[in-house]
Amino acid sequence: MTFDTPISRAGSHCSKWDMMKPLYGLTPDEGLAMWVADMEFKPPQVVQYALQKMLDHGVYGYFGDDRKYLDAIRWWMANRHGWEVAPEWIFTTHGLVNGTALCVHSFTKPGDAVVLMTPVYHAFARVIKAAGREVTECPLVLEDGTARMDFAAWEKLLTGREKMLILCSPHNPGGRVWTADELRAVADFCVKHDLLLVSDEIHHDLVYPGQKHMVMAKAAPQIADRLVMMTATTKTFNIAGAHIGNVIIADPALRKTFANTINAMGISPNSFGMHMATAAYSPEGATWVDALMRYLDGNRKLFDEGIARIPGLRSTPLQATYLAWVDFSATGMTPEEFIERVQKVAKIATNYGASFGLGGETYLRFNLACPRAQVAEAVARLERAFSDLQ
Ligand SMILES: Cc1ncc(COP(=O)(O)O)c(C=O)c1O
């Protein structure tokens, strides 16, 4: 299989294609599903073999003995990210939305506030609010289309109730790879305002050639006593349905608190996820990710060239992630007007920018992790839908 091979997912109970009709009014035949952040690709063979081995064995009981899993994480983090992780630091959760929710429950109380740098992954605000906590939205600023942090402005927005900051690194949406200096500035901000820092690094492997992701724990080792790291195999290897993620905590006191929450919520590993993730974090998995990023690099270039041909549309240069972030503000249209064109005329299902919080209102997010022909088709449809602007 190559990344060019189309795989029909309609009718497979996948959220991206099978929820497109109820949510966007588009059938899989007419619509292009470019919203949910998963990929149209099969994972590497090594993951498929691990699953096949389970099927051949045919008994699906409770999981036990996570030594291979923990060692695979240790290997991946040391080899790909230069970060040494001790096995006892690692908790396995049912994905990172689950990890975020567990952090919110562990380290904040109802009525406390959590700082988010918006626009940012929408599920953060959802779980924070559902837990009876508040969100303090700190908008990123744009300099030449590149997102930057603005700590001086953010200080004025703090209410004094903030206990935690959730960082998205690399950032979704917009695909910024934060520099070591930016990460250290986030760490300083957290120290200054006594915030626990949760660093969601789920996109850390999806970094384009020429960019280097820096792990927060490496950038600011001095804040280990207020740092919770979150990583996962799921985004990298397209196994999000396995619902598995890692919450990695070096500090013993924070770890004890988090362990209590895990016990209180009755969380234990999903054996399918454990087998798949262990297989993925391997030399074969690494070779596959390198090939994936070369392919996605081609997709992002094709998409950006197409968007650049449409007056009024501006695609944010991605440093990481396969999630294109397109600004429609220069069309002069309201969000309702440009969404109508993209959804009803081009028949493309995207994520609405406003759902990512302050600063996202004039944007749509397009998922480019699909065969290149689909990216080309999306561009052609957008050019037609906005042809009167030419
Ligand atoms: C920053 C970020 N965190 C978490 C998730 C989802 O994590 P999970 O599927 O492990 O719950 C996503 C999905 O797009 C994401 O972008």
Coordinates of all heavy atoms in Angstrom, one line a residue, residues 32 37 46 58 76 84 163 166 195 223-224 250 253 259 296 310 318 331:
L32 N -16.5 15.6 0.9 CA -15.1 15.3 1.2 C -14.9 15.5 2.7 O -15.1 16.6 3.2 CB -14.1 16.2 0.5 CG -14.0 16.0 -1.0 CD1 -12.9 17.0 -1.6 CD2 -13.6 14.6 -1.4
A37 N -9.6 14.8 13.2 CA -8.1 14.6 13.0 C -7.7 13.2 13.1 O -7.0 12.7 14.0 CB -7.4 15.5 14.0
V46 N 3.8 -3.3 10.9 CA 4.2 -3.8 12.2 C 3.0 -3.8 13.2 O 2.8 -4.6 14.1 CB 5.4 -3.1 12.8 CG1 5.2 -1.7 13.1 CG2 6.1 -3.8 13.9
G58 N -7.0 -15.2 19.6 CA -8.4 -15.3 19.7 C -9.0 -15.2 21.1 O -10.2 -15.3 21.3
W76 N 11.3 5.1 22.2 CA 10.8 6.1 21.2 C 11.2 7.5 21.7 O 11.7 8.3 20.9 CB 9.3 6.0 21.1 CG 8.7 6.8 20.0 CD1 8.2 8.1 20.1 CD2 8.7 6.5 18.6 NE1 7.9 8.6 18.9 CE2 8.1 7.6 17.9 CE3 9.0 5.4 17.8 CZ2 7.9 7.7 16.6 CZ3 8.8 5.4 16.4 CH2 8.2 6.5 15.8
E84 N 14.8 11.2 28.1 CA 14.9 9.9 28.9 C 13.7 9.9 29.9 O 13.6 10.7 30.8 CB 16.2 9.9 29.7 CG 17.5 9.8 28.9 CD 17.6 8.6 28.0 OE1 17.0 7.5 28.4 OE2 18.2 8.6 26.9
K163 N -5.3 27.8 38.0 CA -4.4 26.9 38.7 C -3.6 26.0 37.7 O -2.7 25.3 38.1 CB -5.3 25.9 39.5 CG -6.0 26.6 40.7 CD -5.1 26.9 41.8 CE -5.7 27.5 43.0 NZ -6.6 28.7 42.8
I166 N -2.8 24.6 30.0 CA -2.7 23.5 29.1 C -2.0 24.0 27.8 O -2.6 24.9 27.1 CB -4.0 22.8 28.8 CG1 -4.7 22.3 30.1 CG2 -3.7 21.6 27.8 CD1 -6.0 21.6 29.9
L195 N 1.1 28.1 38.3 CA 0.2 27.3 37.5 C 0.9 25.9 37.3 O 2.1 25.8 37.0 CB -0.1 27.9 36.1 CG -0.6 29.3 36.1 CD1 -0.7 29.8 34.6 CD2 -2.0 29.3 36.7
I223 N 11.2 23.0 35.9 CA 9.8 23.0 36.4 C 9.2 21.6 36.5 O 8.0 21.4 36.5 CB 8.9 23.9 35.5 CG1 8.9 23.4 34.1 CG2 9.3 25.4 35.6 CD1 7.5 23.6 33.4
A224 N 10.0 20.6 36.7 CA 9.5 19.2 36.8 C 8.5 19.0 37.9 O 7.6 18.2 37.8 CB 10.7 18.2 37.0
A250 N 7.1 13.2 36.2 CA 8.4 12.9 36.9 C 8.2 13.1 38.4 O 8.9 12.5 39.2 CB 9.5 13.7 36.3
A253 N 5.1 13.7 44.0 CA 3.9 14.1 44.7 C 2.7 14.3 43.7 O 1.6 13.8 43.9 CB 4.1 15.5 45.4
A259 N -2.3 9.2 40.5 CA -2.5 7.7 40.6 C -3.9 7.5 41.4 O -4.6 6.6 41.1 CB -1.4 7.1 41.4
L296 N 3.0 13.8 3.6 CA 2.2 14.9 4.0 C 2.8 16.3 3.6 O 2.1 17.2 3.4 CB 2.0 14.9 5.6 CG 1.2 13.7 6.1 CD1 1.2 13.7 7.6 CD2 -0.2 13.7 5.5
I310 N -6.4 31.5 -4.7 CA -7.8 32.0 -4.4 C -7.7 33.3 -3.7 O -7.3 33.3 -2.5 CB -8.6 31.0 -3.7 CG1 -8.6 29.6 -4.4 CG2 -10.1 31.5 -3.5 CD1 -9.3 28.5 -3.6
L318 N 2.3 25.5 7.7 CA 2.3 24.5 8.8 C 3.8 24.1 9.1 O 4.5 23.8 8.2 CB 1.6 23.2 8.4 CG 0.0 23.3 8.3 CD1 -0.5 22.0 7.8 CD2 -0.6 23.7 9.6
T331 N -11.8 37.6 2.5 CA -12.9 37.5 1.5 C -13.9 38.6 1.8 O -14.8 38.9 0.9 CB -13.6 36.2 1.5 OG1 -14.1 36.0 2.9 CG2 -12.6 35.0 1.2

